[in-house]
Amino acid sequence: MDLRHLRCFIAVAEELHFARAAERLHIEQSPLSRAIKELEEDLGVRLFDRTTRSTRLTRAGQVFLEHVPRVFSALEQASNSIRAVAAGYQDQLRVALSDGITPPRLSALLAQCRQDDPDIEIRLFEIPLSKQIRGLNDELYDVGFAQSADVGDGIVAEAAWSDPLVVVMPARHPLLVHKRIPLDEVLRYPLVMCDPQSCEGYGQQIARILRRADAAPLIAEQVNSLELMLTLVAAGYALALVGASQVSACRNADVIGRPLAGRSPTLTTYLLRRNADPSETLSRFIDRVSLIGVDTPLHQSDITKEIDP
């Protein structure tokens, strides 16, 4: 078994079509079929059920597909570590990011890290929450940020910071008559949400907030980025529920954020790490996260400043 076999397996497993997989790999179909046969013989199992009409993964193939991408991730991490040493860095922190983490605090954290530990390379990986959890367990990442504490055994989730939740709407929207908007009023209008697979933790927190209302939300669109979400809001397609600092960071005059009425909910960002003693480098990073959470609070005036006379 070699990396060529594994690349061929991934291509066929993802395409479920030998001709398309061969085209993707820029090889002929016959050497691809031969590579899969050699891999199956080496493993002693059949990885694919193949007929003239379809190609499907066997149960063994499904299990194998869960593990093979980690091989390439580990090799990439090893290459990155070597390049970091060659560039003069003394250590490296691999930080996973999920759920569209709040830009101002992340920027402040990274700036502080560069100032305090310039010889530590920080590599960032934007990935879905489920992949972050697997990567932390497999030691592909040292630490991560997400908006969910539901991370299973072996991972510690610690609240890093909270961001007041606001309703984002286009300028001149009828709801701007309210300084604080009742949730039931918000749900009279369509919402644009982040795709649940891309922003799993964010979706969980928003769903808990929406369950407080009597009416079910009307989801107009699900998107993969905050930028597209706010673009649709600015164009008048829908409203959105996001963190106040994200509205401030976008600096789009065509969107306005207002807090919800009653007890204002927040979006909490968690620091995730393996349940083990952290290295000295990681310990210093965690200490900085604690200081960032305390030293950069978001005040109510930051949310409502656009409505003050």
Side-chain angles (χ1 to χ4, degrees), residues 36-282:
I36 295 299
K37 183 178 179 181
E38 291 170 355
L39 180 59
E40 290 179 326
E41 290 175 349
D42 193 24
L43 293 171
V45 297
R46 193 173 71 255
L47 298 171
F48 297 96
D49 283 327
R50 186 180 181 186
T51 68
T52 56
R53 292 178 175 272
S54 67
T55 298
R56 295 184 300 172
L57 283 164
T58 63
R59 176 56 185 157
Q62 293 172 358
V63 172
F64 198 52
L65 182 60
E66 293 177 5
H67 293 276
V68 171
R70 302 176 192 176
V71 175
F72 293 99
S73 295
L75 287 172
E76 182 182 0
Q77 297 284 5
S79 298
N80 291 336
S81 296
I82 291 171
R83 285 194 288 268
V85 171
Y89 291 106
Q90 299 300 311
D91 203 352
Q92 184 183 67
L93 269 179
R94 301 159 299 174
V95 183
L97 304 173
S98 304
D99 299 320
I101 298 307
T102 305
R105 288 202 174 92
L106 181 61
S107 299
L109 173 61
L110 295 177
Q112 193 65 49
C113 289
R114 290 190 64 186
Q115 177 179 316
D116 295 346
D117 278 330
D119 57 346
I120 305 299
E121 182 189 39
I122 295 182
R123 296 191 63 86
L124 304 177
F125 303 85
E126 291 185 279
I127 53 176
L129 176 60
S130 57
K131 186 174 181 181
Q132 178 180 159
I133 293 172
R134 287 197 302 269
L136 288 169
N137 279 312
D138 294 339
E139 300 187 23
L140 297 177
Y141 312 116
D142 301 298
V143 67
F145 293 98
Q147 290 179 338
S148 176
D150 185 14
V151 294
D153 297 334
I155 302 296
V156 175
E158 302 167 328
W161 54 72
S162 292
D163 198 5
L165 188 73
V166 297
V167 183
V168 185
M169 67 200 80
R172 298 179 297 278
H173 193 276
L175 287 181
L176 288 173
V177 298
H178 301 279
K179 290 190 175 183
R180 302 181 68 88
I181 305 174
L183 182 56
D184 289 337
E185 288 293 310
V186 175
L187 296 185
R188 292 175 51 210
Y189 299 88
L191 294 177
V192 55
M193 301 283 286
C194 195
D195 180 81
Q197 292 185 337
S198 302
C199 302
E200 184 178 345
Y202 162 85
Q204 292 170 356
Q205 293 198 47
I206 295 298
R208 284 196 293 270
I209 293 167
L210 294 179
R211 283 197 291 269
R212 302 176 187 174
D214 295 330
L218 173 61
I219 308 301
E221 191 67 73
Q222 292 183 330
V223 299
N224 290 319
S225 70
L226 174 69
E227 290 76 13
L228 182 54
M229 180 185 293
L230 295 182
T231 296
L232 293 177
V233 171
Y237 280 84
L239 309 183
L241 295 167
V242 302
S245 62
Q246 293 175 312
V247 181
S248 300
C250 82
R251 300 189 181 280
N252 187 336
D254 294 324
V255 299
I256 295 176
R258 291 280 172 85
L260 288 168
R263 184 179 177 183
S264 183
T266 60
L267 289 174
T268 301
T269 296
Y270 297 90
L271 181 145
L272 310 185
R273 61 181 179 85
R274 287 184 300 280
N275 189 10
D277 291 336
S279 66
E280 182 179 346
T281 299
L282 180 54

Side-chain angles (χ1 to χ4, degrees), residues 248 251 257 300-309:
S248 300
R251 300 189 181 280
Q300 193 66 32
S301 59
D302 295 326
I303 307 171
T304 59
K305 60 185 179 182
E306 77 278 355
I307 64 174
D308 292 332

